[in-house]
Amino acid sequence: PTPQPCEKMEAEGLVQRKKPEEDASPSPPAQEEKSKQLTKPKKNLGVFGILSILLRRLSFAVAIGLIVNIYQPLDPDVSIKLFRNISELPLQLPASTSAYEVSNELFDCSGLKCHAWLVLPKQTKSKPPIAVLSGGFAVQKDMGLMLYARRFAEKGIACFLIDYRGFGLSEGRPRNLVSPVNHVADIVSAANHITADPRVDGSRLAIWGTSLSGGHALQAGARLGERVKAIVSQSPSIDGRANSAYNFRNRGLESTLRLLAAGIVDFVRGKLSLSPATVPIIADKRSGSGGLAVMGISEEEVDAWMSKHPVVQDPPVPYLGGWENRTPARFILSFSQNRPILAVPHITAPILFIEPSFDSVCPVELIREAAKLSTHPRTRVAKSDYGHFELYRKGLPAAVAEMTAFLAAELGV
């Protein structure tokens, strides 16, 4: 018979006949080996293996917690509530007297409109000298600056009381943000603006500050150079590094860590264009509430600090711009970098330091160190019998008298 095509191709070696499939089932020895592998006990992870797994799970949990904390802070003393809209609030102005006139002024701060009061003496034969006044930590001009400006103006010294950007009636967001870099720039901008005003003698310029702005006055004075003829620095925050260490000892580890955590949350929220995470500015550590705050001061110090605020007037007056007792927490991350003491050797004007007898927020001994760094022979330290915050109340008359005499002598009044 004729060979079939497949058989012919196979004979010629073009294809190979498929061999019968072997039995797929394993042999008894192979089954026994496979069974041993399945029943073989798992390898012991050991201590380090278990720790590695726990750390990975803990890291995951922490990451989830951080993300949740950014969008909804877990600390009950950290708030993400928005501040009031300043455009909805009335414009307030201190009353003028027979000795001086008060007017609203605007000046430019890096493209923002900042607000100020100009207190102009009436009884002067020539243009009066000008002093730029700024508030301390998270403080604006309606929180006691008129107590000083009133006395200076009665002596014949014009005063320019400013609100930093983000405070009072000045533009800028976030509101109530403490930024030493921006504050100093705003003081310099205010000085440049008012010294060009024809109503005052811009060649006789003084810079005044208290607490945090006591350090700002030194930095602004160094930046403005020989244009400044006198500087007043009351209870100044003179070195952020020393201040941070000093407040860490007073505040304790727990509160410090909570502030740092709040600062990180606020910083990240800022990068995400979310509302700021804010912390209280003052708290009373004797109240037993355990509340978090930037300044944990005593009840008496709180009363002294509040004594210069408009809400304690009779009748009470609302804060300019809807100020509240809270500030964005991100400032804590960079506060130690603020070191006004480094500016002192570069100041050409005489400086009057007001040294409190006690200070719960700023190391007093740094004031004397700063005074020694001044190159001007008329720089001096006036010691008060009152503490940092009592200088706004019981110690105010003596401190203002000291300042007024100093400014009058240095500005030629």
Side-chain angles (χ1 to χ4, degrees):
T2 305
Q4 295 298 319
C6 290
E7 293 176 349
K8 184 177 181 180
M9 293 175 67
E10 180 183 355
E12 295 174 354
L14 296 177
V15 297
Q16 293 181 351
R17 182 181 294 274
K18 186 177 181 181
K19 296 180 179 180
E21 294 184 0
E22 298 180 356
D23 188 0
S25 61
S27 62
Q31 286 182 343
E32 185 178 351
E33 182 65 25
K34 186 174 182 180
S35 176
K36 288 181 180 180
Q37 291 178 357
L38 292 175
T39 58
K40 187 178 181 180
K42 293 183 179 180
K43 186 179 180 181
N44 188 2
L45 292 175
V47 176
F48 292 106
I50 295 173
L51 286 176
S52 177
I53 293 174
L54 290 176
L55 284 174
R56 285 198 297 269
R57 293 181 178 178
L58 180 61
S59 300
F60 178 76
V62 169
I64 296 298
L66 288 175
I67 293 172
V68 172
N69 194 41
I70 288 169
Y71 285 92
Q72 183 57 57
L74 304 177
D75 193 318
D77 291 316
V78 178
S79 172
I80 55 174
K81 186 182 74 171
L82 290 171
F83 287 92
R84 293 179 63 185
N85 187 347
I86 62 172
S87 63
E88 300 173 354
L89 300 167
L91 183 67
Q92 301 148 17
L93 188 67
S96 299
T97 68
S98 59
Y100 56 82
E101 182 179 0
V102 185
S103 61
N104 286 303
E105 305 288 332
L106 293 175
F107 63 100
D108 179 80
C109 294
S110 302
L112 297 171
K113 291 181 180 178
C114 286
H115 191 266
W117 289 331
L118 176 61
V119 183
L120 199 63
K122 291 180 178 179
Q123 310 296 332
T124 56
K125 297 180 180 179
S126 58
K127 293 181 181 180
I130 182 70
V132 176
L133 282 66
S134 58
F137 185 90
V139 169
Q140 50 197 46
K141 64 179 181 292
D142 58 331
M143 298 179 184
L145 293 190
M146 275 301 297
L147 298 174
Y148 303 90
R150 182 181 301 116
R151 289 290 304 274
F152 298 161
E154 290 171 350
K155 189 66 176 179
I157 302 169
C159 297
F160 199 57
L161 287 57
I162 73 168
D163 278 336
Y164 307 120
R165 68 188 80 176
F167 283 85
L169 296 179
S170 293
E171 295 179 344
R173 293 191 181 278
R175 304 302 297 175
N176 283 21
L177 175 62
V178 175
S179 171
V181 173
N182 288 344
H183 292 353
V184 174
D186 295 346
I187 294 171
V188 172
S189 295
N192 290 334
H193 171 87
I194 196 60
T195 52
D197 194 301
R199 292 171 290 180
V200 303
D201 182 357
S203 66
R204 293 184 290 164
L205 170 66
I207 307 293
W208 182 99
T210 181
S211 192
L212 184 62
S213 71
H216 297 345
L218 302 175
Q219 293 166 308
R223 190 177 300 184
L224 290 164
E226 295 183 356
R227 296 169 56 191
V228 179
K229 307 304 179 187
I231 296 173
V232 175
S233 180
Q234 175 176 266
S235 306
S237 174
I238 212 91
D239 188 338
R241 291 183 185 177
N243 259 68
S244 297
Y246 184 74
N247 283 284
F248 171 75
R249 291 192 295 270
N250 292 339
R251 185 184 294 120
L253 179 61
E254 180 186 352
S255 294
T256 301
L257 290 178
R258 289 175 66 191
L259 277 176
L260 285 172
I264 294 171
V265 169
D266 183 44
F267 176 80
V268 175
R269 287 181 65 87
K271 293 298 182 182
L272 297 175
S273 300
L274 300 173
S275 63
T278 60
V279 291
I281 297 166
I282 59 168
D284 185 358
K285 58 187 177 185
R286 293 191 304 183
S287 66
S289 62
L292 181 68
V294 179
M295 296 188 292
I297 55 181
S298 69
E299 290 180 358
E300 187 176 0
E301 288 175 314
V302 170
D303 291 342
W305 188 74
M306 289 295 299
S307 67
K308 56 192 175 63
H309 288 219
V311 291
V312 299
Q313 296 180 17
D314 188 17
V317 179
Y319 289 107
L320 288 173
W323 181 92
E324 297 179 29
N325 178 30
R326 54 194 181 101
T327 182
R330 69 195 70 171
F331 84 91
I332 196 72
L333 302 179
S334 59
F335 188 77
S336 62
Q337 300 173 20
N338 180 47
R339 307 192 67 196
I341 194 169
L342 301 180
V344 176
H346 306 286
I347 297 173
T348 59
I351 309 167
L352 172 64
F353 289 101
I354 303 295
E355 178 186 321
S357 60
F358 167 76
D359 202 322
S360 58
V361 292
C362 302
V364 173
E365 61 274 10
L366 291 180
I367 295 176
R368 294 186 289 275
E369 292 184 20
K372 293 177 183 178
L373 294 175
S374 174
T375 59
H376 201 285
R378 291 196 298 277
T379 289
R380 61 188 179 88
V381 177
K383 296 184 179 181
S384 172
D385 296 328
Y386 297 94
H388 183 114
F389 295 96
E390 279 299 337
L391 275 167
Y392 301 130
R393 186 168 57 177
K394 297 177 182 177
L396 181 68
V400 171
E402 190 82 39
M403 297 172 188
T404 304
F406 171 78
L407 290 175
E410 298 298 338
L411 299 177
V413 177

